[in-house]
Amino acid sequence: MRHAIAGVIAMTLMTASAHAQSLSPDEVAARTIQRRAVEAMIWGMPAVNADLMLQTMLKTTKAKPNEIIYWSKPVNWKNQTLTPNPDSIYLMSFWNVKDGPIVIDIPPAQGGSIAGNIVTAWQMPLEDAGPEGADKGQGGKYLILPPGYKGDVPANYIGLQSDTFSGFALLRSNLASHGDADVAKSVSYGKQIKVYPLAQAKDPPPTNFTDAYDVLFDSTIPYDASFYRSLDRVVQNEPWLDRDRAMIDQLASIGIEKGKAFNPDQKTVALLDQAGREAHAILEQSYDAGFAVINPGIRWFPAAVAEMVKAARVDMRGVTYTLGFTGIKRLGTAQFYLMANKDRDGQPFDGNVTYRLTVPANPPVKQYWSATVYDRETHALVRNMPSASRASISPGIEKNADGSVDIYFGPKAPDGKEANWVPTDPARKFELLFRLYGPEKPLFDHSWKLPDVERIATTIGGATK
């Protein structure tokens, strides 16, 4: 992937160099803005991704930082975050420690459990929470400390030193099934989470919960000039990290400087729009090329990789945060994600075609597996679809005689296969994410392999061919 992005950028620079001798000063200045804006979008993707969710929360709900926004049912298509899980109960807290340390209090795993990730504004993981996190299911008080904090961490707290003033916690309350009772139980358990300032720990105020179910919550990435307004907001609100200081002058050249207003003129806005389209093309080309597959000869690839945790590769990081959100400290413990954007024959998934995925018997999970359809262009749930996934916990899911499960994706369910069918929009391309919650050894020693998705029919004018 890194080589794919580098190759595109190198070709762009070579083309620019060939014309450099004939460029006027104004043309050189314009080209500098566009070139550096392309790099800024790739570099800033994780922070803007997080800011877009925060701003969407503030604009579409009553929730505020250091409270909890949640979805009282498994999310539907109106949750337009990037690749959300429609087989879990989502709770999120957008924390801010400018006024002092904040506590996120996770309950013991009794009557429910949390698969949680606490991340910075750059979505770098501070810690995981729940049975596979630092509290190991015993419950724990996660204490987020602001940059430069000099105080002590009180006894019985899990201290997390942040290098940013803000971030979020993604807290999934695990589901036993999609039945009403199990959904209500999962929501009730999730509402035991508390968020409060350390200064009020002796008598914590009640945590405010805001239900966002059925709210159009759109935080998809805008590949235009508006992206840079989000990036400017991050620069103004967060400290510069040592790793990023090389970007200070780069951003200044496009008008983003700490302590100064970002007011691009109309000409610059046009250049930023153009840069956004170019960065999008670079990122999409790299994603289309794919990450390294988990099993040679099979197209599923991990949706998160170890290098991401350390933010060691900016290009890979940029692509990853066009696809999803959060950071996981202990990859492969609470969950593992496999992604595919092509079928067995190497063709992109088409919403007008019917496909089959056979999930082999004895899937290596402690909890459940799921297969979810996302829009190939936005990487969010496909709009206006009645459902987005099928899972081992889905009602009525049917198994084959050998214990395997066939899942179908297409505009119409094959006859008699409605319980195992995920609808697609015939006018849209799509991608798939296969989740394993509580992944076990056979996945990692490759004794259990998820096969490729195979094309079985094309729908033409309502008829199957």
Side-chain angles (χ1 to χ4, degrees):
M1 176 171 294
R2 177 177 59 183
H3 297 307
I5 290 182
V8 173
I9 293 173
M11 290 178 66
T12 302
L13 293 176
M14 288 173 64
T15 301
S17 178
H19 296 284
Q21 299 298 323
S22 59
L23 295 178
S24 70
D26 284 348
E27 289 172 326
V28 170
R31 182 62 190 134
T32 298
I33 290 173
Q34 184 182 339
R35 184 177 67 249
R36 291 186 171 179
V38 168
E39 291 301 313
M41 180 172 281
I42 295 169
W43 166 79
M45 189 60 68
V48 170
N49 175 319
D51 180 70
L52 288 167
M53 290 189 292
L54 171 61
Q55 300 306 317
T56 300
M57 180 191 79
L58 295 174
K59 292 174 184 176
T60 63
T61 78
K62 296 180 181 179
K64 299 176 182 178
N66 300 329
E67 298 181 353
I68 290 180
I69 183 174
Y70 75 105
W71 282 260
S72 58
K73 299 177 183 179
V75 299
N76 60 17
W77 69 265
K78 289 186 178 180
N79 182 315
Q80 287 285 296
T81 57
L82 303 183
T83 57
N85 182 359
D87 295 290
S88 183
I89 294 297
Y90 265 28
L91 304 97
M92 296 185 74
S93 181
F94 289 87
W95 52 263
N96 190 297
V97 292
K98 276 196 172 180
D99 293 330
I102 290 291
V103 179
I104 298 179
D105 193 339
I106 302 296
Q110 298 170 359
S113 65
I114 294 294
N117 315 116
I118 304 171
V119 302
T120 70
W122 283 92
Q123 303 202 50
M124 291 296 100
L126 292 174
E127 191 51 273
D128 299 334
E132 303 299 337
D135 64 272
K136 301 185 184 301
Q138 301 302 306
K141 294 179 172 65
Y142 292 82
L143 179 61
I144 306 173
L145 306 171
Y149 186 74
K150 301 299 182 183
D152 295 327
V153 175
N156 301 318
Y157 285 79
I158 300 169
L160 306 179
Q161 180 60 66
S162 177
D163 56 9
T164 63
F165 288 111
S166 66
F168 65 85
L170 171 60
L171 306 163
R172 313 166 193 81
S173 187
N174 292 317
L175 273 179
S177 79
H178 280 253
D180 290 345
D182 281 333
V183 169
K185 182 179 179 181
S186 181
V187 170
S188 178
Y189 176 79
K191 284 191 169 184
Q192 295 180 46
I193 298 169
K194 301 174 184 178
V195 181
Y196 51 86
L198 177 63
Q200 296 178 273
K202 289 185 178 180
D203 186 20
T207 300
N208 288 327
F209 287 81
T210 299
D211 187 0
Y213 186 76
D214 253 355
V215 171
L216 181 55
F217 196 96
D218 189 348
S219 61
T220 51
I221 307 296
Y223 295 94
D224 58 28
S226 66
F227 180 97
Y228 301 95
R229 294 202 176 276
S230 290
L231 183 56
D232 175 68
R233 187 162 39 240
V234 173
V235 169
Q236 302 305 330
N237 292 335
E238 299 295 347
W240 276 107
L241 307 183
D242 287 342
R243 68 167 202 207
D244 293 330
R245 289 192 176 276
M247 291 299 297
I248 294 176
D249 288 343
Q250 301 276 344
L251 293 185
S253 67
I254 65 173
I256 297 177
E257 293 187 75
K258 201 169 189 65
K260 295 184 179 181
F262 177 55
N263 291 314
D265 58 24
Q266 188 172 357
K267 182 178 179 181
T268 301
V269 167
L271 291 169
L272 295 176
D273 281 336
Q274 188 173 349
R277 292 191 294 271
E278 184 177 337
H280 191 197
I282 291 171
L283 292 162
E284 282 294 293
Q285 180 174 323
S286 184
Y287 168 57
D288 193 58
F291 294 87
V293 298
I294 188 172
N295 292 303
I298 300 176
R299 297 187 183 279
W300 292 98
F301 55 86
V305 292
E307 290 92 333
M308 263 296 309
V309 174
K310 299 178 181 178
R313 295 170 63 176
V314 171
D315 291 345
M316 179 181 287
R317 186 184 75 183
V319 176
T320 300
Y321 283 104
T322 67
L323 306 177
F325 64 95
T326 204
I328 301 173
K329 189 170 184 178
R330 296 170 173 83
L331 284 171
T333 54
Q335 63 279 110
F336 196 82
Y337 307 129
L338 293 173
M339 201 161 195
N341 52 28
K342 296 182 178 69
D343 65 17
R344 182 178 62 185
D345 298 324
Q347 297 302 309
F349 293 127
D350 185 333
N352 198 42
V353 174
T354 300
Y355 301 86
R356 178 176 58 221
L357 169 65
T358 299
V359 181
N362 304 311
V365 291
K366 297 174 186 174
Q367 296 180 33
Y368 67 90
W369 57 259
S370 66
T372 308
V373 167
Y374 297 100
D375 190 289
R376 175 64 180 79
E377 181 180 352
T378 66
H379 310 297
L381 294 172
V382 181
R383 286 177 176 251
N384 300 307
M385 291 291 102
S387 63
S389 71
R390 282 296 176 267
S392 56
I393 58 173
S394 294
I397 197 83
E398 296 180 356
K399 291 186 177 182
N400 299 321
D402 64 357
S404 65
V405 176
D406 290 332
I407 303 296
Y408 298 88
F409 311 96
K412 182 180 178 181
D415 291 344
K417 303 298 182 181
E418 287 80 7
N420 289 34
W421 167 65
V422 184
T424 59
D425 183 338
R428 307 290 294 178
K429 305 292 186 182
F430 69 93
E431 61 200 5
L432 295 173
L433 192 61
F434 191 88
R435 290 177 168 89
L436 301 99
Y437 267 69
E440 296 181 310
K441 184 179 178 182
L443 174 69
F444 302 108
D445 69 13
H446 307 287
S447 58
W448 186 93
K449 298 178 181 179
L450 187 67
D452 280 322
V453 177
E454 57 181 331
R455 176 179 180 146
I456 59 174
T458 302
T459 302
I460 302 176
T464 299
K465 181 179 180 179

